[in-house]
Amino acid sequence: QASAPSRSGPAAFERSLVSPSFAKAMAQQSAAGVVFEALCFEAGLAAIIMQQAARELRLSDTRASDEPIEVSVGDADGKAVRIQGSVGVTYRFPKGLTILKLFIEKSHDVKVELGCRLKTSFLEVSHCSGIEVRAQEPVATVQADECASGPVRIAYSETEHLGRLFHQNCPALEVAFLGQREAKRIGVGGKRQLVTSMTAAGELRSEEVIRGEREYPAQFMAAARAPNSRAGKVADLQQESEACRTRGDEAVRANDFAQALVHYTEAVE
């Protein structure tokens, strides 16, 4: 009489030691571990976001006033400043203050008296109308996007303070220089992104942005590679910032949130 296939051996012995209740407990513990890791990940990200928020000042004022709102050194020094959803007000950034960057978003009929230094020399204006920024210090990069419903004017104290203005769908974008009566309209509507800069002859020139390696504007690559050039130094800083951000992403994936915060902070600075 043929016998049933043998089910003996080490594997069968191991299975006999694992009771259904034990297997269920192990499965629950494994699931709990996954949930715990997910909670730790979310808590780490929340900590990073909170730390980054602590380095940013948000301003939102909707009560129109003729009196300028003074941005204090105690509130804004060393931080990025985001003006968001403001209407009919004037902000004054005094001399002696240093901020990282300035963002103006979804605001209307707002004036900004920018007497302070921008550490990154970067200003961004998006989805706004009726904006006027008067910059006393040089601004190397201005980015203006989707300001299609009203004028946006960037006024510089000197022609040498103008760097590059990247703009897309801002038909009423203007550039002015303090002391000169007329502003120059440079904006156009549509999906094309343009960049405007000053020529050696002192004329404003706009051209379409052509993206090359790492999305860097191709028309500036030659200047960026020139030794000791200002554009080259800016390009090096951009690459260093991107490297810091990448290291931060890797630290987050490794659940090393403290180190991720260090790298993200370095990227911002």
Side-chain angles (χ1 to χ4, degrees):
Q1 182 177 357
S3 60
S6 174
R7 297 185 181 272
S8 62
F13 178 72
E14 290 175 2
R15 285 195 297 270
S16 69
L17 295 178
V18 180
S19 66
S21 59
F22 180 78
K24 182 178 180 182
M26 290 294 292
Q28 290 175 341
Q29 183 177 353
S30 177
V34 172
V35 172
F36 179 75
E37 289 183 3
L39 289 175
C40 288
F41 183 81
E42 291 182 2
L45 286 180
I48 291 173
I49 292 171
M50 289 178 65
Q51 289 284 349
Q52 291 296 94
R55 298 177 60 83
E56 180 177 284
L57 173 66
R58 289 178 180 254
L59 302 173
S60 182
D61 298 275
T62 56
R63 295 182 180 180
S65 173
D66 294 331
E67 290 294 322
I69 297 172
E70 184 100 358
V71 181
S72 69
V73 174
D75 290 335
D77 199 52
K79 297 180 180 180
V81 178
R82 191 178 302 272
I83 298 173
Q84 192 173 61
S86 292
V87 178
V89 295
T90 298
Y91 293 103
R92 178 178 293 160
F93 293 79
K95 190 174 183 180
L97 169 66
T98 298
I99 63 176
L100 288 177
K101 303 177 181 179
L102 177 61
F103 302 90
I104 308 173
E105 302 171 345
K106 298 179 181 179
S107 297
H108 307 281
D109 301 324
V110 171
K111 294 182 179 179
V112 177
E113 299 175 4
L114 196 59
C116 70
R117 173 175 170 260
L118 287 172
K119 187 174 182 179
T120 60
S121 203
F122 179 83
L123 163 67
E124 180 178 316
V125 184
S126 65
H127 299 86
C128 293
S129 65
I131 304 297
E132 182 178 35
V133 179
R134 292 174 170 258
Q136 296 291 337
E137 297 288 335
V139 182
T141 304
V142 174
Q143 182 167 331
D145 296 314
E146 300 297 337
C147 298
S149 59
V152 173
R153 175 179 293 185
I154 312 296
Y156 299 86
S157 59
E158 301 178 24
T159 56
E160 292 80 5
H161 287 182
L162 184 150
R164 296 184 180 123
L165 292 92
F166 293 87
H167 49 103
Q168 184 264 327
N169 198 28
C170 299
L173 177 63
E174 299 178 341
V175 171
F177 299 99
L178 302 182
Q180 298 182 9
R181 291 185 177 181
E182 295 185 2
K184 173 72 172 179
R185 179 165 292 189
I186 62 171
V188 296
K191 296 182 179 180
R192 291 188 309 152
Q193 185 183 35
L194 304 177
V195 57
T196 301
S197 57
M198 188 74 72
T199 67
E203 299 291 332
L204 290 171
R205 180 183 63 188
S206 297
E207 56 184 320
E208 186 172 357
V209 175
I210 302 172
R211 297 289 176 179
E213 182 182 354
R214 283 189 164 185
E215 291 298 303
Y216 192 81
Q219 52 262 67
F220 304 131
M221 287 300 293
R225 293 191 177 108
N228 301 322
S229 69
R230 182 169 179 266
K233 294 176 181 178
V234 171
D236 289 342
L237 287 174
Q238 289 176 330
Q239 290 181 359
E240 183 178 347
S241 177
E242 179 65 20
C244 290
R245 188 193 65 78
T246 300
R247 288 194 292 269
D249 293 344
E250 292 172 351
V252 167
R253 286 192 289 269
N255 290 340
D256 190 351
F257 302 112
Q259 192 60 40
L261 178 60
V262 171
H263 291 315
Y264 286 141
T265 301
E266 290 174 345
V268 171
E269 293 179 344

